[in-house]
Amino acid sequence: MTTGITGQAPQRPLLKYLLSLLTLLVGSEFGYGQDKSSPVPALVHTDTLRQVQINASHLQPLQTSRVPHQRLKGGQLERLNSLNVADALRFFSGLQVKDYGGAGGLKTVDVRSMGTNHTSVFYDGVQLGNAMNGQTDLGKFSLDNIGEIHLYTFQKSDIFQPARAFAAGSSLYLESKAPVFAEGRGTNGGFKWKAGSFGLINPSAWLQQRISKNVSASLSTEWQKSDGDYKFRYTNGVYDTTASRQNGDMDALRVEAGFYGVMRDSSQWTLKGYHYRSARGLPRSIVSNNFESDERLWDRNSFLQASWKSAWGPKFQSMVNAKYAYDYTRYLDPDHYRQEGALDNHYRQKELYISLSNKYQIKPYWTIGLSGDWINNKLDADLDFFAYPTRNTKLVAAASSLDFKTFHLQASLLGTYVSEKVKAYQSAKNFHQYTPAVSASWQPFREQPLLVNAFYKKTFRMPTFNDLYYSMIGNTALQPERVSQYNVGASFNKNLNSGIWNSLSFQTNAYYNKVKDKIVAIPAENLFRWTMVNLGEVDIRGIESNIRSGLQASEEIMLQIGLNYAYQKAVEVTPGASNLNHQIPYTPLHSGSLTLGADYKNMSLNYSYVYCGERYSQKTNIPVHYIQPWYTHDLSYAQVFKVSDHRYKFNAELNNVFNQYRDIVLNFPMPGRSFRFTLSTNI
């Protein structure tokens, strides 16, 4: 992100140090394969966060973007009947949120049917890693401290970013709320209390403090508890019954703190600490009238990350990022008896990440960039026949950008070098790959905000530690999953200011993805154990469109409309396959959403509709694998009021108004009708 810093250049020895660091990162392909017995926690990158204005009275339109880009921020997030990030993503087009039901159920996202592992999730500019299974549970991230959510199907159009950001097929960016102070104030704070169906209790609080003229701090904490006991309808093909979901309880705590500063030379730095812990039940898939489950899961996720960004004169900028993360998981299955007792496994992941990014402006219209990242991942587990793997990954990205008034061209080349070693048994082979990407955008009419864009990108994802080394299941001979992406689209964004029509925005994209050696993860008897199926080759063709408009019905009434639609034809094309041209599992042909909002004085009323078309649960499209379409209608009402000159906001939500019973993942039933109430106030 360009900072616009024009201060004096620092001393040359520091510049030589930074360039030496980049040389160290990229000097040899597998020079970092040695085990580091005691990695030192380091400081890591967070993008400079922009001021977030939350104003529910104005439409926040789609951006006229050089690359396919969808965004939710501020008032839009508040309008949605969403408890966490996964709920909010339902209103993006071209993706599927895989939800296993209830507050504690696993929630992941699959963009354009490439697979969950091809979507990288970034929190304040730094990727959330999970070398064990490659998936990020988005249900862990509450919206209470999220200011913006961005989805890039290509990559950011700014080449000033870590090398890791060039590697993903699609990128989801979560930006937390940064301190913003009114004139003459040095403290902000607030408290929110949520309660609702299924025993939900969810209090949260936040505090922002100005420490000095150039340094500020933030603190956010939240506790969430739910018994997860909801009704669902089940049929075995002969008769229907209504039962209660069991073992879906959750108790979770989140605490995060951040520091933000500007130095004398205008360099910017951030430091962030995050901790999340949860204890939850794992509800079993409903098969053969078996509704009971005693499995338990405990999580502890912590990380420390920081960023330092500076300009070395008017043309050259650098950014240093680092991160240390520790993840602990315990899985208990009392019904799985072994000679030494019930199955009780413990997993510990450690990640150390260091990055250096540089950008240099050769001409006003020509910019080049060079980034280098190093990642060290370790996994320990008390499993039988476990390999105890360590993975060292180095990434080097070179990029160039041409930016004219009506035309933009960006190209990049990413080199990835992976080496692995294990303490026992056989490790996977070392791997290296070069992946190009190019994008272009053109504004055909200078007087009209219409932008035409296209891109090509080649990506891959490494097999996870579970794919390679899971006891008795892993296969160290697995090949990476490779994807070629093609896209052409257009976007339009204009403030009309004529009559009742205030603004109009739309985006539409047509795409083709070619996937080779595709690996699909399908849950077996429970959501913690998976069966890995290699589909060989998959062709994915699709169209996604988004439209938003704002209407000024009167001086006091503002209306908002949002419509998303996606068409996806994702079929197996492996030569000789028995399921040739069959739609791949859990990919609907049609999906979409509709949002309506109305603001009047201190009140707002919102309606949302989400539709997911018919799908199949297995790779063979036969009637026994057919899953019916589902849809939900949600309503919410919000009002701001004063008590003793203090402002409060009350919000009431009614979700799944018509109580539709549905499975997003087969045999993992979702909740029916539910309600939620929220009372919040700011200091």
Side-chain angles (χ1 to χ4, degrees), residues 64-85:
T64 306
S65 178
R66 295 169 175 170
V67 297
H69 173 211
Q70 300 180 64
R71 179 185 69 177
L72 289 170
K73 62 179 293 187
Q76 287 177 297
L77 289 173
E78 290 190 344
R79 288 180 176 277
L80 304 178
N81 290 24
S82 302
L83 186 64
N84 51 54
V85 169

Side-chain angles (χ1 to χ4, degrees), residues 100-122:
Y100 295 85
L106 178 68
K107 298 170 177 61
T108 62
V109 62
D110 180 2
V111 179
R112 292 187 172 182
S113 300
M114 291 183 291
T116 299
N117 294 29
H118 285 277
T119 300
S120 295
V121 182
F122 294 79

Side-chain angles (χ1 to χ4, degrees), residues 216-387:
S216 60
S218 67
L219 176 67
S220 175
T221 185
E222 175 185 20
W223 177 55
Q224 185 179 145
K225 183 176 177 60
S226 172
D227 58 30
D229 184 10
Y230 56 86
K231 302 291 185 182
F232 68 93
R233 185 175 300 154
Y234 170 77
T235 179
N236 63 358
V238 179
Y239 60 87
D240 295 340
T241 185
T242 300
S244 293
R245 197 66 163 134
Q246 298 183 21
N247 200 36
D249 61 292
M250 185 183 72
D251 189 327
L253 175 70
R254 173 187 59 84
V255 180
E256 54 186 296
F259 293 88
Y260 310 81
V262 179
M263 303 175 70
R264 290 183 179 180
D265 63 354
S266 297
S267 299
Q268 303 176 29
W269 61 269
T270 59
L271 175 66
K272 191 175 191 69
Y274 180 96
H275 177 73
Y276 175 90
R277 71 110 180 110
S278 71
R280 66 183 77 186
L282 293 178
R284 187 183 296 272
S285 60
I286 306 301
V287 180
S288 302
N289 294 320
N290 185 2
F291 303 107
E292 297 182 358
S293 173
D294 296 319
E295 294 143 292
R296 307 294 300 177
L297 187 69
W298 292 265
D299 288 305
R300 291 202 302 267
N301 310 109
S302 303
F303 64 74
L304 179 67
Q305 66 184 43
S307 174
W308 176 79
K309 186 185 300 183
S310 183
W312 311 85
K315 294 185 177 182
F316 183 42
Q317 297 182 56
S318 293
M319 179 169 57
V320 178
N321 312 307
K323 176 179 182 177
Y324 176 76
Y326 175 81
D327 299 316
Y328 166 81
T329 302
R330 179 190 174 195
Y331 169 68
L332 173 66
D333 185 358
D335 297 329
H336 189 131
Y337 291 102
R338 302 178 300 169
Q339 185 175 2
E340 58 271 27
L343 182 64
D344 190 0
N345 295 141
H346 302 75
Y347 305 82
R348 294 174 176 85
Q349 290 190 78
K350 297 177 183 178
E351 178 176 293
L352 178 62
Y353 168 64
I354 303 173
S355 171
L356 172 62
S357 306
N358 300 280
K359 181 174 76 169
Y360 182 75
Q361 187 180 61
I362 299 176
K363 297 287 186 180
Y365 56 85
W366 185 14
T367 304
I368 59 174
L370 181 63
S371 303
D373 292 10
W374 173 71
I375 309 131
N376 175 269
N377 296 103
K378 294 182 179 180
L379 177 62
D380 292 334
D382 54 357
L383 301 177
D384 296 332
F385 311 107
F386 192 65

Side-chain angles (χ1 to χ4, degrees), residues 56 63 96 133 152 246 252 258 265 325 327 426-427 468 491 500 534 575:
Q63 291 182 318
Q96 294 88 46
N133 59 34
Y152 294 90
Q246 298 183 21
D265 63 354
D327 299 316
Q426 182 179 0
S427 69
L468 296 170
S491 60
I500 65 172
N534 194 324

Side-chain angles (χ1 to χ4, degrees), residues 78-79 81 604-607 634-638 651-654:
E78 290 190 344
R79 288 180 176 277
N81 290 24
S604 67
L605 181 64
N606 303 285
Y607 163 80
D634 302 325
L635 293 171
S636 70
Y637 170 80
N651 193 78
E653 304 173 24
L654 181 61

Side-chain angles (χ1 to χ4, degrees), residues 467-507:
D467 296 337
L468 296 170
Y469 304 113
Y470 196 88
S471 300
M472 311 303 289
I473 298 175
N475 178 10
T476 57
L478 280 176
Q479 293 296 312
E481 192 175 281
R482 295 176 172 86
V483 181
S484 296
Q485 299 173 256
Y486 305 83
N487 184 96
V488 61
S491 60
F492 179 88
N493 182 6
K494 188 172 184 178
N495 292 323
L496 302 176
N497 296 321
S498 60
I500 65 172
W501 294 98
N502 195 342
S503 61
L504 176 65
S505 303
F506 78 80
Q507 287 186 28

